[in-house]
């Protein structure tokens, strides 16, 4: 795999992705990562002041400022002794520099920060070290509390103060963050990067953000934006030019550095104790009452999704991304093609798309001197839905999967578009359909499972499926000659095995016969689809073909004739299989025991799934550990589920038999593009018909555990462990995703790259129970998956948009997240596995 190399100063990279040009197609592949970035000279810009700050026209150090500096320098090993003088120094400099601004700039700042007449207009720095900022987006970071040492705020009188300093500052009122470290401690830069990570997620109105790290010996400024994180050199206290420029740039940023996006803004709650809502401008129309439903990784595409209200009170979904300038296929173009002759129900629908501009400038973030530019894009989406984990019954979950396969094959056959990132985050159920507003529905809209179960087709405009397929950011048109199908694209936990390896699997699994329907299932199928379709996919007993082709014979196989890898439709079906498996293993039957720990068999499977990573380089085709799951015997599958889900276990075993062959090796050339869709759908249909009156109710507020019984605990679960009361950090009703920090370490990011190479940080954010369409692919998943379960992860993982990371020892995050992967992040962002 190649990476774009530049002689310029690199920024702190992404944990698992590097941008790769792939013959100019602008796609990227995922590499693996180990931990978060350390302060390291490789991402220091010696010309930081000239490149990323604006110096004030005039500034003089006062005697009081000099005294504050002496107090900071004498703090020694006692960190809290720095807080007071540091806040005073920065506030006094802030007030002086604000006074040098032109009147029109001062007035604009007062309006932006809602400073009342008569109040001071400058930013004040306050000690907030004893408290975490309030109102991080609900359910995104449920139990993680970061407490930056100092915060920069406006209207400081709004906040309470006690012996430890100020408290009660909400995230949406934070404008600057400062981290102080005493002489003996390191990690200040790392800590500040974590704060920037959180801040970007809480503040979609801040494209770029400065952080300050202070020690008695020196200080350092960081800049974080979607292209990554870059730092200044450590600057001794005798030189305040950098510090003055840091503060002044909050008022008057240098050109090309967008600290604000005035087209999205917070709306305060009734009091500071109430969370804010957001208003967003799209195509000259303001939408209000916005609430987060997805937050992605800060570095990279930085996907943010909000549900908002229009003037009439109707709901739509707003999706924001920072798109890499080399991304070839654009989601809005793909969706326009899919819905070209009318809406294809089941595929997310787009109301509008635009570049985001503020002050008549398009918001762009560019790594100076490097071939990396990201432009902020905003989409208005009509539909939304819930994750498969929110299923109320097993049958309803399977119906959503059946329809997802039908929608996918319809788009494949009728529109020649391959999704290439089917995952838990991109297959939604219980769709909430937006207003039609006179939009026509395509006659190509697929027949849904409800039509099949009733034995008749509804009119196209009434054929709403049980699923919503979203996030076509990584989709490719099959009739295009760009070569995207040769790229490795997908979310690690759900990516097909050969796509993950970038090579054809040398897997000679026994031939999988096309399933035959029986009884009512066959009658319902033929009544709805017709006998011709059923016969079209059946095996030919005369020609002795399976699925229309001939499985390879290991004894006759010539390795010299291994076909070139290409992303095939079967690979997306395999991704749907992994998604289905994940959901079925996590959902909790309503009448089953509430286990705190996973059984040995289940824990073994979860270890394989959650630790799966996309190899940095192509490796042995036999090195895909998930094949152990696909090759499991019936009795193994039975051990993965409760007794009342035994038939579900057998269904998954039957589907595994269909999915595990490497169909690229099959001969005959008569494999239809959707043959595997057909096989899996037949098996699901037969199950649904056979279990019409035996549906299994689920408890959407619970999740089955993924972590095994810890080695230091006894082997027999206690009554407490089997009770319905969740423990902190264990399974239970804390099911929403959590977003942690984590960037690639210096070792992982420099491995195999030139000193000057640059990698863009990108990981997907975590999702709540309800996910909007168009949500990241993204987002990555062991981290997201494990964090969503609120369980510590004991295994190494590489998610699409995040990594299994250890927090800095000086981190103020709760210990419950130590060693826990943090959510894509992933779903990834441009540079993740799904492309730039």
């Amino acid at each position: 795999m190649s990476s774009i190399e530049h002689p310029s100063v690199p920024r702190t990279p992404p944990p698992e992705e590097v941008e790769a040009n792939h013959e100019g197609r602008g796609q990227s592949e995922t590499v693996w990562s180990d931990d978060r970035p350390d302060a390291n000279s490789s991402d220091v810009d010696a010309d930081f002041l000239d490149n990323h700050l604006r110096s004030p026209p005039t500034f003089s150090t006062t005697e009081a400022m000099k005294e504050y500096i002496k107090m900071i320098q004498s703090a020694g090993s006692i960190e809290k002794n720095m807080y007071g003088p540091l806040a005073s120094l920065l506030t006094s400099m802030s007030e002086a520099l604000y006074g040098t601004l032109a009147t029109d700039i001062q007035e604009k700042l007062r309006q932006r920060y809602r400073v009342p007449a008569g109040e001071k207009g400058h930013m004040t720095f306050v000690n907030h070290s004893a408290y975490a900022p309030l109102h991080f987006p609900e359910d995104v970071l449920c139990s993680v509390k970061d407490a930056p040492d100092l915060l920069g705020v406006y209207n400081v009188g709004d906040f309470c103060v006690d012996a430890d300093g100020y408290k009660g500052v909400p995230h949406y009122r934070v404008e600057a963050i400062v981290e102080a470290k005493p002489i003996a401690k390191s990690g200040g830069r790392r800590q500040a990067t974590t704060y920037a990570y959180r801040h970007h997620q809480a503040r979609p109105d801040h494209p770029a953000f400065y952080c300050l790290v202070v020690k008695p010996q020196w200080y350092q400024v960081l800049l974080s934006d979607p292209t990554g994180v870059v730092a200044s050199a450590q600057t001794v206290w005798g030189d305040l030019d950098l510090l003055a420029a840091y503060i002044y740039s909050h008022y008057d940023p240098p050109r090309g550095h967008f600290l604000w996006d005035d087209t999205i803004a917070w709306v305060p709650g009734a009091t500071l104790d109430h969370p804010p809502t957001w208003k967003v401008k799209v195509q000259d129309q303001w939408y209000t009452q916005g609430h987060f439903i997805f937050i992605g990784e800060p570095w990279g595409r930085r996907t943010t999704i909000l549900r908002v209200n229009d003037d009439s009170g109707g709901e739509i979904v707003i999706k924001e991304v920072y798109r890499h300038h080399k991304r070839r296929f654009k989601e809005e173009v793909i969706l326009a093609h899919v819905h070209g002759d009318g809406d294809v129900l089941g595929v997310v629908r787009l109301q509008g798309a635009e570049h985001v501009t503020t002050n008549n400038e398009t918001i762009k973030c560019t790594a100076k001197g490097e071939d990396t530019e990201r432009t902020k894009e905003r989409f208005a989406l009509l539909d939304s839905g819930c994750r498969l984990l929110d299923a109320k019954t097993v049958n309803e979950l399977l119906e959503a999967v059946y329809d997802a396969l039908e929608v996918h094959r319809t788009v494949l056959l009728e529109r020649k578009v391959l999704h290439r990132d089917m995952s838990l985050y991109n297959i939604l159920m219980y769709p909430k359909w937006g207003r039609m507003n006179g939009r026509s529905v395509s006659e190509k809209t697929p027949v849904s499972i409800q039509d099949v179960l009733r034995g008749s087709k509804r009119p196209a405009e009434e054929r709403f499926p049980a699923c919503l397929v979203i996030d076509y950011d990584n989709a490719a048109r099959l009739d295009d000659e760009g070569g995207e199908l040769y790229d490795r694209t997908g979310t690690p936990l759900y990516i097909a095995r050969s796509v993950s390896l970038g090579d054809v699997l040398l897997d000679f699994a026994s031939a999988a016969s096309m399933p035959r329907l029986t009884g009512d299932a066959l009658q319902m199928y033929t009544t709805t689809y017709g006998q011709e379709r059923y016969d079209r996919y059946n095996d030919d007993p005369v020609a002795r073909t399976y699925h229309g082709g001939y499985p390879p014979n290991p004894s006759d196989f010539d390795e010299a004739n291994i076909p070139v890898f290409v992303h095939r439709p079967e690979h997306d079906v395999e991704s749907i299989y992994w998604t289905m498996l994940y959901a079925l293993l996590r959902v909790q039957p309503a009448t089953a025991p509430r286990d705190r720990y996973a059984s040995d068999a289940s824990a073994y499977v979860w270890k394989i799934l959650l630790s799966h990573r996309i190899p940095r380089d192509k490796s042995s085709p036999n090195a895909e550990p998930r094949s152990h799951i696909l090759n499991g015997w019936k009795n193994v599958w039975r051990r993965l589920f409760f007794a009342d889900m035994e038939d579900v276990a057998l269904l998954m075993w039957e589907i595994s038999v269909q999915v595990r062959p490497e169909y690229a090796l099959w001969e005959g050339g008569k494999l239809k593009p959707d043959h595997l869709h057909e096989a899996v759908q037949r098996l699901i249909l037969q199950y649904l018909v056979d279990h019409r009156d035996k549906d299994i109710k689920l408890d959407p507020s619970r999740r089955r555990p993924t972590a095994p019984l810890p080695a230091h605990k006894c082997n027999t679960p206690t009554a407490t462990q089997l009770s319905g009361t969740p423990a902190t950090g264990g399974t239970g009703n804390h099911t929403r995703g959590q977003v942690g920090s984590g960037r690639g370490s210096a070792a992982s990011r420099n491995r195999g790259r030139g000193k000057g190479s640059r990698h863009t940080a990108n990981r997907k954010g975590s999702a709540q129970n309800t996910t909007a369409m168009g949500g990241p692919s993204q987002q990555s998943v062991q981290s997201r998956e494990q964090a969503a379960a609120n369980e510590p992860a004991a295994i190494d993982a590489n998610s699409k948009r995040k990594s299994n990371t250890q927090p800095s020892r000086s981190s103020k995050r709760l210990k419950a997240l130590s060693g826990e992967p943090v959510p894509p992040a992933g779903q990834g962002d441009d540079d993740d596995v799904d492309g730039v």
Side-chain angles (χ1 to χ4, degrees):
M1 182 177 69
S2 63
S3 62
I4 297 176
E5 296 191 1
H6 305 283
S8 55
V9 177
R11 296 190 176 197
T12 298
E16 63 276 326
E17 287 85 29
V18 293
E19 295 180 344
N21 192 359
H22 294 301
E23 300 176 353
R25 292 191 296 274
Q27 297 296 309
S28 67
E29 297 178 325
T30 294
V31 296
W32 59 284
S33 63
D34 295 316
D35 60 9
R36 297 174 5 175
D38 289 311
N40 150 324
S41 60
S42 68
D43 37 53
V44 166
D45 185 349
D47 297 319
F48 187 93
L49 193 155
D50 293 332
N51 293 337
H52 303 295
L53 297 173
R54 187 191 297 276
S55 296
T58 179
F59 174 72
S60 298
T61 307
T62 66
E63 291 301 318
M65 293 177 189
K66 294 177 182 178
E67 287 301 316
Y68 296 141
I69 293 173
K70 289 180 181 178
M71 296 171 68
I72 294 169
Q73 291 176 312
S74 63
S77 60
I78 305 177
E79 180 178 313
K80 67 179 182 180
N81 288 350
M82 302 172 65
Y83 298 156
L86 182 56
S88 297
L89 171 66
L90 296 176
T91 298
S92 60
M93 293 179 67
S94 175
E95 184 174 12
L97 292 167
Y98 178 82
T100 68
L101 298 171
T103 303
D104 61 327
I105 296 179
Q106 288 185 352
E107 183 57 30
K108 186 177 295 186
L109 288 168
R110 296 180 72 90
Q111 292 178 5
R112 175 177 289 118
Y113 298 113
R114 307 164 206 198
V115 180
E119 296 292 330
K120 294 183 178 180
H122 64 80
M123 180 168 59
T124 300
F125 289 81
V126 299
N127 173 9
H128 208 268
S129 59
Y131 307 96
L134 303 176
H135 307 318
F136 194 91
E138 184 180 4
D139 285 332
V140 175
L141 196 64
C142 315
S143 59
V144 178
K145 304 295 183 182
D146 280 324
D149 295 327
L150 271 63
L151 300 177
V153 300
Y154 289 85
N155 298 321
V156 68
D158 293 347
F159 311 111
C160 301
V161 63
D162 61 16
D164 293 321
Y166 284 81
K167 63 180 179 179
V169 177
H171 277 279
Y172 68 92
R173 296 289 299 274
V174 175
E175 299 300 328
I177 287 178
V178 181
E179 175 65 14
K181 289 292 180 186
I183 288 179
K185 285 190 176 181
S186 60
R189 175 166 158 199
R190 209 171 166 189
Q191 188 93 34
T193 302
T194 298
Y195 297 152
Y197 179 102
R198 308 279 187 235
H199 184 82
H200 283 308
Q201 291 180 315
R203 297 293 299 273
D205 57 332
H206 279 180
F209 186 69
Y210 294 113
C211 287
L212 178 65
V213 180
V214 174
K215 287 177 67 75
Q217 312 97 304
W218 48 260
Y219 65 90
Q220 184 176 43
V221 180
L222 313 181
L223 171 67
S224 175
D225 67 24
T227 65
V229 180
V230 65
S232 73
Q234 297 170 357
T235 304
V236 297
W237 282 106
D239 180 359
L240 292 188
D241 289 347
L242 179 71
L243 190 62
Y246 155 76
I247 296 175
Y248 186 80
S249 295
H250 283 86
Y251 299 137
D252 188 12
R255 187 169 182 82
H257 291 66
F258 294 88
L259 268 59
W260 316 290
D261 173 3
D262 290 327
T263 65
I264 179 169
W266 49 267
V267 178
T271 69
L272 288 178
D273 293 328
H274 295 81
T277 59
W278 292 83
K279 63 177 184 178
V280 189
K281 187 179 181 182
V282 184
Q283 296 179 328
D284 295 325
Q285 179 179 352
W286 282 97
Y287 296 86
T288 58
Q289 298 298 311
H291 295 276
F292 293 105
I293 53 178
F294 187 93
I295 294 178
E297 289 290 331
W299 305 293
R301 200 166 55 199
R302 193 189 293 176
T303 302
T304 301
I305 303 176
L306 303 99
R307 181 173 285 112
V308 299
N309 291 344
D310 58 23
D311 292 339
S312 62
E315 287 187 347
I316 68 167
V317 173
I318 301 296
K319 175 181 177 180
E320 296 187 346
V321 299
Y322 286 81
R323 178 182 286 156
H324 194 287
H325 71 291
K326 284 192 174 182
R327 174 173 282 276
R328 189 160 173 271
F329 286 116
K330 299 176 174 60
E331 183 174 20
E332 67 272 24
V333 176
I334 291 289
L335 291 178
H337 172 70
V338 170
H339 299 300
D341 66 354
D343 293 342
V344 176
L345 300 182
V347 176
V348 63
R349 297 173 299 165
L350 181 67
Q351 178 172 293
E354 64 181 4
H355 297 300
V356 180
T357 61
T358 186
N359 294 326
N360 297 318
E361 287 189 84
T362 300
I363 296 179
K364 295 182 178 181
C365 298
T366 304
K368 185 175 180 61
E370 301 176 22
D371 190 17
T372 302
E373 179 180 281
R374 290 185 176 274
T375 301
K376 188 169 187 179
E377 313 281 346
R378 185 172 290 152
F379 310 97
L381 308 168
L382 290 176
D383 315 304
S384 61
C386 300
R387 291 188 301 170
L388 297 178
L389 295 178
D390 299 314
K392 299 173 183 177
T393 73
V394 168
N395 283 11
E396 289 177 359
L397 191 158
L398 294 176
E399 288 172 6
V401 173
Y402 182 99
D403 278 352
L405 286 160
E406 189 68 20
V407 169
H408 183 278
R409 74 192 290 189
T410 297
V411 174
L412 170 70
L413 298 176
E414 301 295 341
R415 297 293 185 261
K416 300 297 186 290
V417 169
L418 193 57
H419 190 282
R420 300 199 306 160
D421 194 15
M422 300 298 282
S423 73
L424 185 71
Y425 305 97
N426 295 332
I427 302 172
L428 307 183
M429 65 184 304
Y430 303 134
K432 186 172 182 179
W433 308 103
R435 297 177 179 179
M436 300 297 290
N437 294 326
R439 297 170 66 116
S440 62
V441 174
S442 172
E443 289 299 322
K444 301 298 184 182
T445 288
V447 173
S448 78
I449 185 61
Q450 290 304 316
D451 296 299
V452 180
L453 293 176
R454 64 189 289 176
S456 64
K457 296 182 184 179
R458 293 169 292 176
E461 61 272 13
E462 299 176 8
R463 215 176 286 159
F464 289 97
C467 75
L468 178 68
V469 179
I470 66 173
D471 198 356
Y472 280 79
D473 278 345
N474 304 306
R477 293 185 58 171
L478 302 184
D479 55 3
D480 195 282
E481 298 180 356
E484 279 73 17
L485 296 180
Y486 296 101
D487 296 328
R488 299 155 68 193
T489 299
T491 300
L493 195 153
Y494 312 102
I495 193 172
R497 293 158 297 155
S498 56
V499 180
S500 177
L501 298 171
D503 211 342
V504 172
L505 287 172
L506 295 183
D507 187 341
F508 302 101
S510 58
S513 301
M514 178 62 65
R516 294 294 187 109
L517 297 171
T518 61
D520 288 348
L522 176 59
Q523 181 181 359
M524 291 174 179
Y525 180 104
T526 55
T527 300
T528 308
Y529 296 119
Q531 187 69 40
E532 188 278 331
R533 167 165 157 167
Y534 186 70
D535 294 338
R536 187 192 320 156
Y537 294 93
N538 286 337
D539 295 337
D540 187 338
V542 177
R544 296 184 180 180
T545 59
Y546 297 86
H547 287 231
Y550 297 96
N553 186 334
S555 61
D556 298 334
F557 186 75
D558 183 0
E559 291 193 19
N561 295 324
I562 297 176
V564 175
F565 162 78
V566 62
H567 197 124
R568 297 168 57 94
E570 295 99 336
H571 296 144
D572 276 13
V573 177
E574 182 178 336
S575 292
I576 295 173
Y577 164 85
W578 295 119
T579 301
M580 181 182 178
L581 173 62
Y582 181 94
L584 288 171
L585 286 178
R586 287 305 316 275
V587 294
Q588 171 69 45
T591 60
R594 270 64 166 171
D595 293 336
R596 184 174 179 184
Y597 299 105
S599 66
D600 290 344
S602 182
Y604 173 75
V605 169
W606 281 118
K607 182 174 182 179
I608 294 175
L609 290 177
L610 298 181
S611 63
H612 180 258
R613 62 176 121 199
I614 299 174
R616 175 191 176 110
D617 300 309
K618 293 182 180 181
S619 58
S620 168
N622 297 317
E624 238 296 345
R626 290 176 300 167
S627 294
H628 294 299
I629 300 174
L630 280 162
N631 293 328
W633 293 354
K634 283 185 183 181
N635 63 331
V636 175
W637 281 99
R638 288 191 179 100
R639 290 200 295 268
L640 296 177
F641 294 92
F642 290 111
D644 56 356
M645 292 183 71
E646 180 178 359
D647 288 350
V648 174
L650 295 178
L651 171 64
M652 289 306 302
W653 172 74
E654 291 177 316
I655 295 176
S656 300
V657 172
Q658 299 293 328
V659 171
R660 68 190 182 198
E662 175 57 275
Y663 289 102
L665 298 176
W666 287 34
E667 301 174 355
K670 294 184 180 180
L671 289 176
K672 293 178 175 58
D674 58 337
H675 71 95
L676 191 54
H677 296 75
E678 177 74 11
V680 176
Q681 284 179 277
R682 288 187 182 186
L683 292 171
I684 295 175
L685 175 59
Q686 188 72 59
Y687 176 94
L688 290 172
V689 173
D690 293 345
H691 294 78
R692 282 172 293 185
D693 301 322
K694 296 182 290 183
D695 198 0
I696 301 171
K697 291 185 178 181
L698 302 173
D699 181 354
S701 68
R702 301 273 181 176
R703 301 286 183 266
R704 289 185 63 200
T706 62
L709 183 71
H712 67 278
K713 292 184 177 290
C714 60
N715 292 328
T716 303
T718 65
T720 301
Q721 293 167 352
L722 294 177
S723 70
T725 304
T728 302
T731 61
N733 57 8
H734 302 291
T735 57
R736 275 111 175 146
Q738 297 177 335
V739 176
S741 68
R743 273 64 70 183
S745 67
S748 67
R749 66 174 174 262
N750 291 329
R751 191 179 289 114
R753 308 179 183 102
K755 182 178 181 180
S757 67
R758 182 188 178 284
H759 333 292
T760 305
N762 82 307
R763 269 191 283 297
K764 267 185 177 186
S766 67
Q768 302 182 20
N769 269 3
T770 301
T771 306
M773 72 220 207
S777 189
Q778 282 278 332
Q779 329 144 137
S780 191
V781 25
Q782 174 203 347
S783 346
R784 186 186 300 176
E785 322 310 331
Q786 194 72 33
N790 200 19
E791 298 161 353
I795 53 182
D796 184 28
N798 177 343
S799 61
K800 177 177 184 179
R801 296 127 184 168
K802 62 189 162 251
S803 63
N804 183 13
T805 61
Q806 292 283 351
S808 165
R809 291 186 179 182
S810 58
S811 173
K812 297 185 178 72
R813 294 194 296 164
L814 295 185
K815 293 180 179 179
L817 275 187
S818 297
E820 175 173 342
V822 290
Q827 230 113 297
D829 301 350
D830 288 345
D831 328 303
D832 44 11
V833 193
D834 46 317
V836 295

